[in-house]
């Protein structure tokens, strides 16, 4: 379908974007447009103004900030996948990003757009949550950093307010950890039915620490805290990690939809978490 | 209405477009470039794939406004003077299409893949085309076509003096035939 009419603004800097957004009734920020354009076409979104961040080159690229890797919100998925700093310090993000959609979408789609869109079936929110990323936001009242644990509020809903622009995401460099993103999806559709972002720090033959973020097990990404506790100190063996993963669906509220019923998603979460932890532990 | 300057298949255009105008509709309805079809309209099928600054994009998921200042290559830039591009010839010769609706997008996505990876394995070809769907002939012959085109294009790159015109990747093709900027205007509504 053809989208409903809207005004189009391409601001020259973040301050102008914030100003335009704050002055509008129902604005939408456009990053790469790979989620927003379909919503416009289906007329599921009726913005009065689309604020296209495509001209803001300062929001693009990866920077080494010591303990952190700072990735500009407008960095495309394709750039994330091929970035040497991401490969060195945040390989889980590169691996999960590689499973997003297809090459053409990854050429346009952005890290910030995916996270701000906050689709429960999107892969990157669970990664940001598992890695304790920080979201850097510019708004009418200045700049602020929001931890991933507070960023995602509900289905397609984040803490971002109407005048806010997500400018970058900072990922902590986790040394001594290894990672794996495990995803179950239909071949013709890259949306995750369930996805698991796992990080493991081994201490020789045992697991010292683990982190698990779940995709599409509720209206927001979810940390499987019970699994993380259960992993502490267990032998780094497949059976032990599979056992620890049995509580992966605890506290989740997975959806029923055409792809899967909730009880099947619970089953998938347990199985995939065990596999993701084992792969992350190098087993 | 927003004003855009865009290069399409080597020709520069200077046009007014509605903000809500999708790139695929701009190409088809404003420029008459109907070689790029509208497929699913849901960013799934890839039939409308074109190259934007050499990278594959789904033109139903890009606003014409977002193409401002960029270089678009459509399937219409591939053949010159009736001489098919190797990717077109390979699709023809290996029977990689039945109805042909997905073919323009398949070929543009394949060219994007071959630019990065001139000698892909079958699995890499399937991954490279994962955003493009064919609903009639299946993928076996499409993979064969891409493999054969890749071999022809590699051979030509190795011997550039022979047949170089027909086996260049599209970005090089359009530069060769690019006229002076603003040599054309954008059709009926510009």
């Amino acid at each position: 379908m053809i989208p409903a009419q809207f005004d189009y603004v391409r601001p020259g800097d973040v301050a102008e974007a914030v100003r335009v957004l704050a002055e509008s009734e129902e604005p939408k920020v456009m990053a790469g447009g790979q989620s927003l354009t379909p919503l416009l076409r289906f007329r599921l979104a009726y913005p009065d103004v689309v604020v296209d961040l495509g001209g803001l080159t300062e929001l693009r690229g990866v920077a080494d900030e010591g303990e952190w890797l700072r990735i500009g919100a407008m960095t495309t998925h394709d750039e994330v996948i091929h970035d040497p700093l991401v490969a060195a310090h945040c390989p889980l993000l590169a691996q999960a990003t590689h499973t997003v959609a297809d090459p053409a979408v990854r050429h346009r789609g952005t890290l910030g757009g995916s996270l701000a869109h906050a689709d429960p079936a999107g892969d990157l929110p669970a990664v940001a949550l598992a890695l304790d990323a920080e979201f850097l936001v510019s708004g009418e009242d200045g700049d602020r950093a929001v931890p991933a644990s507070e960023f995602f509020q509900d289905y397609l809903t984040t803490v971002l307010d109407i005048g806010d622009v997500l400018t970058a995401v900072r990922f902590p460099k986790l040394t001594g950890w290894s990672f794996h993103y495990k995803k179950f999806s239909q071949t013709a559709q890259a949306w995750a039915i369930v996805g698991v972002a796992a990080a493991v720090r081994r201490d020789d033959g045992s697991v010292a620490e683990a982190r698990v973020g779940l995709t599409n097990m509720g209206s927001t990404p979810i940390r499987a805290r019970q699994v993380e506790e259960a992993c502490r100190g267990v032998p780094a063996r497949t059976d032990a990690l599979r056992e620890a993963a049995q509580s992966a669906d605890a506290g989740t509220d997975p959806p029923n939809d055409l792809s899967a019923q909730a009880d099947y998603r619970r089953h998938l979460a347990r199985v995939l978490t065990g596999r993701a932890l084992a792969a992350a532990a190098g087993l | 209405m927003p004003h855009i300057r865009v290069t399409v298949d080597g020709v520069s255009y200077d046009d007014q477009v509605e903000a809500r105008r999708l790139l695929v509709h701009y190409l088809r309805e404003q420029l008459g470039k109907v070689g790029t079809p509208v497929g699913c309209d849901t960013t799934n099928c890839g039939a409308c794939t074109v190259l934007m600054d050499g990278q594959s994009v789904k033109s139903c998921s890009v606003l014409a406004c977002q193409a401002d200042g960029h270089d678009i290559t459509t399937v219409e830039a591939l053949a010159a003077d009736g001489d098919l591009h190797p990717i077109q010839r390979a699709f023809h010769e290996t029977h990689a299409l039945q109805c042909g609706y997905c073919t323009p997008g398949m070929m543009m996505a394949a060219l994007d893949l071959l630019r990065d990876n001139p000698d892909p394995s079958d699995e890499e070809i399937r991954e490279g085309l994962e955003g493009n769907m064919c609903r009639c002939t299946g993928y076996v012959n499409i993979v064969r076509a891409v493999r054969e085109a890749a071999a022809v294009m590699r051979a030509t790159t190795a011997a550039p003096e022979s047949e170089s015109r027909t086996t260049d990747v599209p970005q090089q093709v359009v530069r060769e035939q690019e006229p002076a900027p603003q040599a054309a205007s954008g059709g009926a509504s510009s």
Side-chain angles (χ1 to χ4, degrees):
Chain A
M1 286 206 323
I2 293 169
Q5 289 193 344
F6 52 80
D7 290 332
Y8 173 86
V9 179
R10 196 190 306 179
D13 55 39
V14 173
E16 186 188 348
V18 169
R19 196 166 59 246
V20 173
L21 288 166
E23 286 168 359
S24 307
E25 289 279 313
E26 286 277 336
K28 276 302 269 185
V29 175
M30 178 171 271
Q34 300 302 287
S35 296
L36 179 56
T37 312
L39 289 179
L40 294 170
R41 275 195 328 244
F42 293 140
R43 301 208 173 190
L44 292 169
Y46 286 87
D48 59 346
V49 182
V50 168
V51 179
D52 179 7
L53 305 185
L56 304 185
T57 49
E58 68 267 31
L59 300 190
R60 215 159 158 170
V62 182
D64 191 330
E65 293 192 336
E67 303 287 299
W68 298 84
L69 211 57
R70 179 194 173 110
I71 307 181
M74 289 296 289
T75 308
T76 66
H77 298 315
D78 192 59
E79 289 163 348
V80 166
I81 291 168
H82 293 103
D83 189 88
L85 286 171
V86 174
H89 301 296
C90 204
L92 179 62
L93 179 65
Q95 189 198 2
T97 303
H98 195 76
T99 75
V100 173
D102 55 65
V105 170
R106 294 196 294 265
H107 286 145
R108 298 286 303 160
T110 65
L111 174 69
S114 283
L115 294 169
H117 185 55
D119 192 311
D123 301 288
L124 305 183
V127 173
L129 191 67
L131 297 180
D132 288 330
E134 270 192 7
F135 292 67
L136 306 182
V137 179
S138 291
E140 282 185 282
D141 301 326
D143 299 339
R144 64 189 196 275
V146 181
S149 57
E150 295 171 18
F151 186 77
F152 302 102
Q153 299 280 301
D154 202 349
Y155 183 78
L156 304 180
T157 306
T158 69
V159 294
L160 294 174
D161 209 345
I162 273 188
D164 286 339
V165 174
L166 174 64
T167 56
V169 185
R170 299 204 304 175
F171 291 87
K173 292 181 185 171
L174 294 177
T175 47
W177 291 71
S178 49
F179 310 93
H180 193 77
Y181 187 71
K182 191 83 188 165
K183 169 166 164 175
F184 193 81
S185 62
Q186 293 176 341
T187 305
Q189 277 279 355
W191 293 113
I193 294 174
V194 173
V196 180
V200 169
R201 186 169 65 82
R202 278 182 67 158
D203 186 5
D204 290 332
S206 63
V207 172
E209 276 183 273
R211 296 192 199 166
V212 176
L214 301 174
T215 298
N216 215 5
M217 286 296 289
S219 59
T220 62
I222 294 168
R223 279 284 283 270
R225 299 278 183 191
Q226 285 194 28
V227 175
E228 295 179 7
E229 282 305 312
C231 283
R232 202 175 288 276
V234 302
R237 288 202 319 265
T238 307
D239 58 340
L241 291 169
R242 193 188 298 144
E243 182 61 33
Q246 288 310 303
S247 58
D249 61 318
T252 64
D253 185 18
N256 283 298
D257 59 29
L258 287 174
S259 300
Q261 295 296 301
D263 58 346
Y264 180 51
R265 281 199 163 88
R266 289 179 180 279
H267 166 78
L268 282 176
R270 294 190 294 267
V271 172
L272 298 177
T273 298
R275 290 179 186 171
L277 285 167
L283 301 171
Chain B
M1 276 204 291
H3 173 244
I4 62 169
R5 279 170 182 238
V6 59
T7 303
V8 181
D9 296 341
V11 179
S12 298
Y13 298 91
D14 202 326
D15 267 326
Q16 302 275 315
V17 293
E18 265 195 297
R20 61 177 172 168
R21 177 75 105 174
L22 301 171
L23 177 59
V24 68
H25 292 143
Y26 171 70
L27 293 172
R28 289 176 58 84
E29 294 166 19
Q30 219 157 323
L31 303 189
K33 294 220 162 248
V34 293
T36 303
V38 180
C40 65
D41 228 9
T42 60
T43 325
N44 275 296
C45 82
C48 65
T49 303
V50 300
L51 303 183
M52 187 159 167
D53 300 332
Q55 290 191 321
S56 60
V57 301
K58 296 183 176 182
S59 60
C60 75
S61 300
V62 178
L63 297 176
C65 288
Q66 291 177 290
D68 182 31
H70 294 279
D71 187 352
I72 307 296
T73 307
T74 79
V75 69
E76 296 188 26
L78 298 188
D81 306 325
D83 206 358
L84 293 183
H85 187 281
I87 192 79
Q88 293 174 304
R89 210 157 49 229
F91 267 70
H92 179 200
E93 289 173 359
T94 62
H95 193 68
L97 60 141
Q98 281 184 27
C99 84
Y101 206 86
C102 70
T103 310
M106 285 285 178
M107 294 194 299
M108 300 317 280
L111 288 172
D112 177 84
L113 167 71
L114 296 178
R115 179 178 49 89
D116 285 340
N117 181 357
D119 189 11
S121 66
D122 284 7
E123 194 180 331
E124 286 168 335
I125 293 171
R126 286 176 182 274
E127 273 192 19
L129 299 181
E130 69 180 324
N132 295 74
M133 296 188 190
C134 169
R135 294 287 82 142
C136 50
T137 196
Y139 300 94
V140 172
N141 284 355
I142 291 172
V143 173
R144 269 182 62 205
V146 176
R147 203 170 55 215
E148 293 193 10
V152 172
M153 290 166 72
R154 283 197 311 276
T156 314
T157 309
E161 67 280 4
S162 67
E163 265 199 287
S164 66
R165 171 61 193 83
T166 55
T167 54
D168 278 347
V169 296
Q171 283 304 296
Q172 293 162 315
V173 171
V174 298
R175 288 206 186 99
E176 283 175 22
Q177 64 188 34
E178 187 170 7
Q182 300 180 52
S185 65
S189 57
S190 65

